[in-house]
Amino acid sequence: MREVVQLYGAALERTVALADPATMDAMVRDDLVSSLLLVHGLHPHDVETRVRTALDSVRPYLGSHGGDVELIEVADGVVRLRLLGSCNSCPSSSVTLETAVQDAVQAAAPETTGIDVETPDSHELKSGVISVESLFSHVHADGGGTHWVEVPEFAEVEVGEVAGFRVSGTDLLVCRSGDDLYAYRDRCPVCEHSMAGAVLERMMGRPARDAAVLTCPTCSAHFSVYGAGARVGTGSEHLAPVPVLIRDGVLSVALADDSVIPVT
């Protein structure tokens, strides 16, 4: 078996040597081929370049929740990041880190061993070094992990529309504001009823992008779409956001393996 692997590696090395720049670029952008290049130590990009590319791939998701991420450096196997915008304090920060950033960084640079997270207002560490293995710790503690599910049907949701979907046994509420898609678990945290029938509204007196809110049809509570589902006004409740990313060219959501939301 070892000889076969070595043969494949030698053949791949020969392919890399013969490839022109355009072909090499196409190989790097293909997730499967890129993984093989990493396994055999033939990837043409250094770890920092790969991490930057990985963060670029999740930047649309972070932006849809009012945030961004800045790469400070990669040193001694640790990726140092700074969260910007509402990602620093919004209720979906853990979701953002654990599903979007961790998944992208680990796939692009499996040799990294941890992530440092800094606040945008200071260079003090927000939570110290987060090992790659522990980023999903609270999900695993609940007895499951996470998995990505392709949801190309989400693309059919039109601007201003709110739609319900059942994905792998989980009921989700999906809406589109502008060019951005947002997904939440279908449960109002205030009255604990389904959000089925919720409408997307705009609140007067707020900046255009921050004005989009989802209104619960049962208790009329308002939740900020751009603010990761945080309740508008009194109360600290928030909807449970679900990451939506384009992975391998297909819209996908990240769900907990044991996540099943009952229909109410």
Side-chain angles (χ1 to χ4, degrees):
M1 184 64 181
R2 180 179 300 175
E3 289 77 8
V4 173
V5 173
Q6 291 175 342
L7 178 62
Y8 283 150
L12 187 59
E13 184 176 8
R14 182 71 60 84
T15 301
V16 169
L18 296 174
D20 58 44
T23 301
M24 195 66 223
D25 182 62
M27 292 171 65
V28 168
R29 286 186 283 106
D30 184 283
D31 290 340
L32 179 58
V33 177
S34 182
S35 297
L36 288 175
L37 292 173
L38 285 172
V39 168
H40 293 283
L42 297 172
H43 203 290
H45 297 163
D46 60 24
V47 62
E48 183 169 330
T49 300
R50 284 182 275 126
V51 170
R52 288 187 184 280
T53 300
L55 295 178
D56 285 342
S57 72
V58 300
R59 202 159 261 119
Y61 166 69
L62 301 181
S64 74
H65 286 286
D68 199 354
V69 62
E70 174 187 348
L71 175 63
I72 300 172
E73 67 173 355
V74 180
D76 299 323
V78 176
V79 179
R80 296 184 61 213
L81 304 173
R82 182 177 295 123
L83 293 181
L84 307 173
S86 63
C87 277
N88 174 53
S89 58
C90 77
S92 67
S93 290
S94 61
V95 176
T96 300
L97 277 173
E98 295 176 5
T99 57
V101 177
Q102 188 267 357
D103 182 74
V105 169
Q106 191 170 26
E111 67 269 41
T112 57
T113 58
I115 297 176
D116 266 1
V117 182
E118 294 185 0
T119 68
D121 298 324
S122 72
H123 289 178
E124 296 296 323
L125 288 181
K126 179 183 179 184
S127 55
V129 177
I130 307 172
S131 70
V132 170
E133 292 78 8
S134 68
L135 277 171
F136 278 15
S137 59
H138 82 262
V139 176
H140 294 159
D142 292 335
T146 59
H147 63 285
W148 290 91
V149 182
E150 294 184 353
V151 285
E153 62 272 23
F154 282 15
E156 299 175 4
V157 178
E158 298 181 355
V159 175
E161 183 182 2
V162 181
F165 296 89
R166 169 158 284 192
V167 180
S168 296
T170 300
D171 293 314
L172 300 179
L173 192 75
V174 180
C175 66
R176 185 187 293 275
S177 179
D179 294 330
D180 298 320
L181 274 174
Y182 303 82
Y184 306 91
R185 295 188 180 187
D186 184 15
R187 176 182 173 277
C188 174
V190 178
C191 66
E192 299 188 352
H193 284 83
S194 167
M195 291 283 289
V199 294
L200 188 61
E201 301 177 309
R202 293 198 173 276
M203 298 192 70
M204 301 297 293
R206 297 172 68 93
R209 193 170 186 182
D210 294 342
V213 297
L214 280 169
T215 302
C216 175
T218 301
C219 67
S220 299
H222 300 296
F223 303 95
S224 171
V225 171
Y226 189 62
R231 186 179 181 184
V232 177
T234 59
S236 59
E237 301 90 349
H238 61 85
L239 297 173
V242 177
V244 182
L245 296 174
I246 296 178
R247 304 178 82 245
D248 299 329
V250 182
L251 275 171
S252 303
V253 294
L255 299 174
D257 290 340
D258 58 352
S259 173
V260 178
I261 307 299
V263 177
T264 58

